[in-house]
């Protein structure tokens, strides 16, 4: 194997010139582009992290809003149950009051009708008693003429004094 020093030197010089030209014209632009790309990637990563944080915060807000909505719904349900229970109690109380009033009216009506019936019965009983008494008196007066004379005499005396 034979080493050619001229080729090695020529290659090193060519490489040095190429490196100098690349560093003067290409490397700065290439490194600039790569730096911009690195900065853009870092910026996108920061934005992605911020977006992720915002998404997490939004999810938490939504969870809290949902929990609050559930609590409000539960409160509304409890309030409506309490309201309906109050209405049921009021309606039952009104029904009891109405039933008591109707019962009292019915008792008064029954008492009035009973009093009317007793009064009518007394009136009829009085009339019947008078009829019975008059029939008995007629029989006794008719049976005994002496009593009829006494009654006539008494009537004449009373009539004469008047």
């Amino acid at each position: 194997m034979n080493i050619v020093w001229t080729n090695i030197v020529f290659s090193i010089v060519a490489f040095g010139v190429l490196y100098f030209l690349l560093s003067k014209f290409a490397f700065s632009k290439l490194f600039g582009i790569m730096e911009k790309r690195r900065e853009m990637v870092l910026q996108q990563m920061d934005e992605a992290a911020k977006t992720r944080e915002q998404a997490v915060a939004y999810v938490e807000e939504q969870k809290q809003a949902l929990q609050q909505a559930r609590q409000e719904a539960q409160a509304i349900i409890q309030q409506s149950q309490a309201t309906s229970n109050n209405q049921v109690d009021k309606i039952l109380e009104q029904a009891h009051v109405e039933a008591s009033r109707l019962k009292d009216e019915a008792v008064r009506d029954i008492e009035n009708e009973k009093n009317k019936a007793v009064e009518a019965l007394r009136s009829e009983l009085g009339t019947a008693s008078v009829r019975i008494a008059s029939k008995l008196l007629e029989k006794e007066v008719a049976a005994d003429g002496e009593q009829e004379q006494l009654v006539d005499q008494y009537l004449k005396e009373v009539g004469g004094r008047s």
Side-chain angles (χ1 to χ4, degrees), residues 99-116:
S100 295
R101 186 185 64 78
L102 290 174
K103 179 183 170 188
D104 291 344
E105 284 182 10
V107 167
R108 275 195 306 264
D109 290 347
I110 290 170
E111 190 65 31
N112 287 340
E113 290 298 320
K114 182 179 116 181
N115 289 341
K116 286 179 185 178

Side-chain angles (χ1 to χ4, degrees), residues 19 43 46 68 74 110 125-126 128 140 146-147 152 155:
Y19 182 77
Q43 183 182 4
D46 288 341
Q68 184 178 0
Q74 188 65 28
I110 290 170
L125 187 58
E140 283 193 28
E146 193 174 299
Q147 288 177 355
D152 285 340
L155 287 174

Side-chain angles (χ1 to χ4, degrees), residues 95-152:
H96 286 292
V97 167
E98 184 68 17
S100 295
R101 186 185 64 78
L102 290 174
K103 179 183 170 188
D104 291 344
E105 284 182 10
V107 167
R108 275 195 306 264
D109 290 347
I110 290 170
E111 190 65 31
N112 287 340
E113 290 298 320
K114 182 179 116 181
N115 289 341
K116 286 179 185 178
V118 166
E119 214 35 60
L121 187 59
R122 283 183 184 161
S123 174
E124 277 190 42
L125 187 58
T127 304
S129 295
V130 169
R131 280 193 218 147
I132 291 172
S134 78
K135 284 187 181 180
L136 286 175
L137 285 175
E138 281 179 14
K139 281 186 182 178
E140 283 193 28
V141 171
D144 194 8
E146 193 174 299
Q147 288 177 355
E148 191 175 337
Q149 288 174 354
L150 283 174
V151 170
D152 285 340

Side-chain angles (χ1 to χ4, degrees), residues 20-86:
F20 173 75
L21 290 175
L22 284 175
S23 67
K24 178 112 176 143
F25 297 110
F27 283 154
S28 62
K29 291 181 182 179
L30 183 64
F31 287 142
I33 291 172
M34 289 177 70
E35 184 62 28
K36 285 180 183 177
R37 175 74 176 154
R38 188 181 70 81
E39 288 174 5
M40 186 176 73
V41 167
L42 289 175
Q43 183 182 4
Q44 286 177 349
M45 287 175 62
D46 288 341
E47 288 177 5
K50 288 178 184 176
T51 303
R52 184 173 159 263
E53 289 173 4
Q54 289 174 350
V56 168
Y58 182 73
V59 167
E60 282 300 316
E61 287 177 16
Q62 292 302 315
K63 283 181 183 177
Q64 290 175 356
L66 181 61
Q67 184 64 27
Q68 184 178 0
R70 284 181 181 160
Q71 290 173 349
E72 288 174 2
Q74 188 65 28
I76 289 170
I77 289 170
Q78 289 174 350
Q79 183 180 3
S80 66
Q81 286 175 345
T83 302
S84 66
N85 287 341
N86 287 341

